[in-house]
Amino acid sequence: MARIDILLPVKNGKDYLAEAIDSVIAQTYTDWRLLVLDHGSTDGSVEMAQAYRARDSRIEVHSFPQAKGLSGLLNCGIDIADCEFIMRHDADDICLPDRMALTLAAFEAQPECIVVSGQADVIDAAGNKLEDLLLPVGTARIGAASLFRNPVSHPASTLRFDPVQKMGVRYGVDILKILPENERIDVPSLAEDYFLFGQLAILGKVTNLPQKLLKYRWHGKNVSITSFTEQMEVSLAISRSLTRSFCTMHNLPWFDPAPFCNHGGILMDVGGKRNFDAEFENMAHSVRKVFGASPEIERELRYRKAISTRNWASLLWRYNRFRSGDITETGEWHAVRGWLVRQYPGKRRIRVAPELV
């Protein structure tokens, strides 16, 4: 049994698969097993992975062509895992050499955490750096942020396997079971990682390292490009489900997170309303009551306050005031800029049904 099992799902990913596998082999930590999970590839991906297997017995190739979406494929990987930690790695990304060592040190330092992820470089198809993927750090901050977006990089994540087994953690399903059964949602694809990590985050079980762990490849075949609108709709449904569970857990009145979300680097048009300051105060009260009024939480709330308007002049003024005192993270400026651009005639907005607004 290896200490780390790495789940690497692939479907026709031959173009980048060799780099992905090579980056695992190059790790400074060596007690691992790589589980290549094939989802019915026809481009030679399986044959490439099998060739690596012939050279390194730590690599295994498993085919699950009938798995239901990425959630089902990853759950198949969890079912065959036998380890202390499960690490995620995508077929088009590149692990930095000390990713495993840094992650294991974080688990040792924070034994209460079930998930550890971290920062990344965003690269293009050719491997050129585009930007930094900058995400929040700290369990409380990530718990609060998870109500409004996914603050965890799935490809950089690792899970502690024992609580995964004990809690029945699986992708795409409601593992908290706090809501009535008819109110629980299933997420078979598009944002299955957000649903899983969000549930664990509101329990205070997720953290991000400040260090970079991988190079995340951004190209035209990313799901966030090919299925953008659908992914935003699913992400908002998850935010609302997480908020319902969060409020139910702590006996708080429910608030709609939609006005304060920045999924995919966008702000949503919620019923055409232009000011959500009153709703912000109710939301902030609940967040502070559960997570405390620490500097980290106040930083999160300053950004949510900045985007609680849909008046372009007020939004720009609030954001500039926020930026003058805080380092911006991935998706924050994009959301503000995207809203301003969409005010031009002919530009499409993401509209969602209002709930408690």
Side-chain angles (χ1 to χ4, degrees), residues 82-190:
D82 181 21
C83 55
E84 188 176 349
F85 301 99
I86 290 182
M87 179 171 283
R88 276 284 290 108
H89 186 41
D90 279 340
D92 52 1
D93 294 335
I94 302 171
C95 289
L96 296 179
D98 57 353
R99 175 186 174 183
M100 292 183 189
L102 289 170
T103 299
L104 291 175
F107 276 117
E108 292 289 337
Q110 302 182 71
E112 77 283 358
C113 282
I114 297 176
V115 179
V116 170
S117 189
Q119 318 303 314
D121 285 330
V122 181
I123 60 175
D124 63 17
N128 302 307
K129 182 178 176 179
L130 298 175
E131 60 184 356
D132 295 316
L133 182 64
L134 185 60
L135 298 169
V137 175
T139 56
R141 171 80 195 288
I142 292 171
S146 69
L147 300 173
F148 313 109
R149 61 161 173 156
N150 184 3
V152 178
S153 170
H154 189 200
S157 65
T158 301
L159 292 82
R160 196 188 297 271
F161 193 51
D162 184 58
V164 165
Q165 293 295 78
K166 289 179 178 177
M167 296 174 63
V169 173
R170 291 297 185 273
Y171 284 92
V173 299
D174 189 323
I175 60 176
L176 298 178
K177 296 181 173 60
I178 293 170
L179 301 178
E181 191 168 352
N182 65 332
E183 294 183 16
R184 299 173 194 168
I185 63 173
D186 293 313
V187 185
S189 61
L190 298 178

Side-chain angles (χ1 to χ4, degrees), residues 190 223-235 266 268 348-351:
L190 298 178
V223 171
S224 52
I225 294 177
T226 59
S227 303
F228 180 76
T229 300
E230 295 87 346
Q231 190 177 56
M232 294 306 97
E233 291 171 349
V234 171
S235 295
I266 65 164
M268 297 181 179
R348 181 173 60 89
R349 303 181 192 177
I350 304 295
R351 292 183 169 87

Side-chain angles (χ1 to χ4, degrees), residues 239-257:
S239 281
R240 284 172 164 166
S241 178
L242 290 174
T243 302
R244 291 187 189 280
S245 292
F246 172 79
C247 292
T248 301
M249 286 167 56
H250 299 286
N251 196 28
L252 295 167
W254 187 76
F255 59 86
D256 187 2

Side-chain angles (χ1 to χ4, degrees), residues 22-72:
D22 287 339
S23 72
V24 173
I25 296 172
Q27 288 295 295
T28 58
Y29 186 82
T30 59
D31 187 11
W32 52 261
R33 178 176 64 154
L34 175 61
L35 303 175
V36 178
L37 309 174
D38 178 61
H39 202 199
S41 296
T42 58
D43 69 340
S45 294
V46 173
E47 292 77 9
M48 176 180 285
Q50 289 171 337
Y52 273 95
R53 162 67 179 175
R55 300 193 297 269
D56 192 328
S57 62
R58 296 174 297 177
I59 299 171
E60 297 181 6
V61 183
H62 300 268
S63 292
F64 301 102
Q66 304 305 318
K68 185 179 179 182
L70 181 58
S71 292

Side-chain angles (χ1 to χ4, degrees), residues 278-296:
E279 290 82 357
F280 170 84
E281 294 302 328
N282 293 332
M283 176 273 287
H285 173 77
S286 295
V287 168
R288 290 187 181 110
K289 185 171 183 179
V290 174
F291 294 111
S294 66
E296 293 77 16

